[in-house]
Amino acid sequence: MLKTLLAAALALTLPVLPAAAQADYPTKSVSVLIPFTAGGTADIFARMVSEHLQKTWGQPFVPENIGGSGGALAMGRLARSAPDGYTIALASTSNLAVHPTLLGDRIQYQTLRDLAPITQVSIVPNLLAVNPERIKARTVPELIAYLKANPGKVTFGSAGIGTTQHLAGELFQIMTGTQMVHVPYKGSSQMVPDLVGGQIDIAFDNAPLLLPQAKVGKLALLATATAERVPFDPNLPTVAETVPGFEAVAWHGFLAPIGTPAPVIDKLAKAINAYMEQPATKARFIELGAIPVHTSPEQFKQLIASETDRWKKVIDTAKVKVE
């Protein structure tokens, strides 16, 4: 009888301590993993949010850049971290919705099995650009007509196999019935100079990298790969205006290890979302060529699931493989 009473008393008291700890979160330093090199747009996003959270709660939010394997090292570390809210990460479309299909057993995580979505913070438009000396088309219909008249003769560059830039090109070919030659690079920093120099003909790439080149006439922008026209250039049409349903963007969001208590996830989401609603935050994201957004954890989870399914179909149809 005594053992039964003690067990019942213990069962009643056990949830109290975790709940108290969750309410007080954070009580120590939080690691913010960034699966990108320092100085890029995503790195800036992560550091902006980290600084806000540190100011909000008075605890250090320490960004840590972890490169290698397209971000898989950082995401594997996140998946193996204690599910207590003291390790979070900013990740991208490639990390979350592409690599689990493309790399399979070569990575140490599966997104929705091992990671808990917190909130999405950005959409980074991919723009369709051409070298103006090599491709005379200035609209999407003109480009499609040119590609159909010259199958397999036009090269499109990307920041690497399986990136959104690469998959945008594959999706474009699938939806338009055209054929191009893919030229993968180790990053946009190598690809864009070759596009400007005429070593390759066209590319989809993130807006922040292409806009400066377009402004000085070194590249011609034909369209954006977003579902709707972008706020920083509402005169630029979308590919979808010619190819209905076409969309191929990069996006970023924060995650924690699976099993992180829901109150901690919700607390992080509310604080990050409040920051994303600030006019100064929105202005800075737009200045960087991104569209600021915020979601609930469930909405972000649904986005990851739908994007994983969508890009899996493109990867399978285009027979994309990483050697």
Side-chain angles (χ1 to χ4, degrees):
M1 182 68 175
L2 180 59
K3 287 183 179 180
T4 303
L5 290 172
L6 287 173
L10 182 60
L12 289 172
T13 57
L14 276 176
V16 175
L17 290 176
Q22 293 160 24
D24 292 339
Y25 172 88
T27 59
K28 60 181 181 179
S29 176
V30 176
S31 295
V32 182
L33 309 184
I34 308 172
F36 314 100
T37 56
T41 305
D43 178 64
I44 295 172
F45 296 160
R47 292 176 184 276
M48 288 172 63
V49 173
S50 296
E51 182 178 358
H52 168 74
L53 295 177
Q54 183 164 314
K55 289 180 178 178
T56 299
W57 290 323
Q59 294 291 344
F61 277 72
V62 184
E64 182 180 353
N65 297 92
I66 303 175
S69 302
L73 292 180
M75 304 315 296
R77 176 172 155 186
L78 178 67
R80 297 189 303 272
S81 297
D84 54 10
Y86 290 95
T87 304
I88 62 175
L90 177 77
S92 71
T93 318
S94 294
N95 307 138
L96 303 176
V98 175
H99 289 169
T101 293
L102 187 63
L103 301 179
D105 294 339
R106 286 186 252 183
I107 60 175
Q108 299 177 339
Y109 69 96
Q110 287 293 311
T111 304
L112 296 181
R113 181 194 70 191
D114 300 321
L115 306 175
I118 299 172
T119 183
Q120 181 188 1
V121 294
S122 78
I123 296 171
V124 181
N126 283 318
L127 305 182
L128 173 57
V130 302
N131 179 292
E133 298 299 322
R134 293 180 62 87
I135 303 293
K136 301 305 180 183
R138 292 296 177 269
T139 67
V140 174
E142 289 175 358
L143 177 63
I144 294 172
Y146 181 81
L147 293 175
K148 287 187 174 181
N150 296 275
K153 295 181 181 179
V154 174
T155 55
F156 84 94
S158 79
I161 295 174
T163 59
T164 58
Q165 297 96 320
H166 171 208
L167 296 181
E170 297 291 355
L171 180 62
F172 187 80
Q173 292 177 95
I174 292 168
M175 296 185 72
T176 60
T178 56
Q179 182 181 354
M180 297 183 285
V181 177
H182 177 221
V183 182
Y185 288 78
K186 292 184 178 179
S188 294
S189 61
Q190 295 180 11
M191 186 272 290
V192 172
D194 273 10
L195 179 61
V196 171
Q199 283 75 36
I200 53 175
D201 300 314
I202 77 172
F204 286 90
D205 208 341
N206 295 166
L209 297 171
L210 298 182
L211 288 172
Q213 302 295 340
K215 286 180 180 178
V216 296
K218 293 182 178 180
L219 294 176
L221 300 181
L222 272 58
T224 173
T226 48
E228 300 177 353
R229 295 194 178 196
V230 291
F232 52 81
D233 189 356
N235 293 320
L236 186 66
T238 67
V239 175
E241 290 171 33
T242 301
V243 187
F246 184 91
E247 184 178 9
V249 300
W251 41 260
H252 301 90
F254 284 90
L255 302 97
I258 198 74
T260 300
V264 173
I265 295 289
D266 291 341
K267 191 171 185 178
L268 282 163
K270 287 176 181 178
I272 295 171
N273 290 346
Y275 176 64
M276 295 307 302
E277 291 175 349
Q278 294 179 8
T281 306
K282 294 179 179 179
R284 179 60 174 148
F285 270 61
I286 292 172
E287 179 185 346
L288 291 167
I291 300 170
V293 298
H294 58 82
T295 66
S296 68
E298 182 59 30
Q299 288 171 327
F300 190 26
K301 181 179 179 179
Q302 291 174 3
L303 172 73
I304 294 169
S306 64
E307 286 281 272
T308 299
D309 181 64
R310 189 164 73 94
W311 290 124
K312 183 180 188 305
K313 292 175 182 176
V314 174
I315 291 167
D316 291 344
T317 301
K319 297 180 172 57
V320 178
K321 296 185 182 299
V322 176
E323 300 299 331

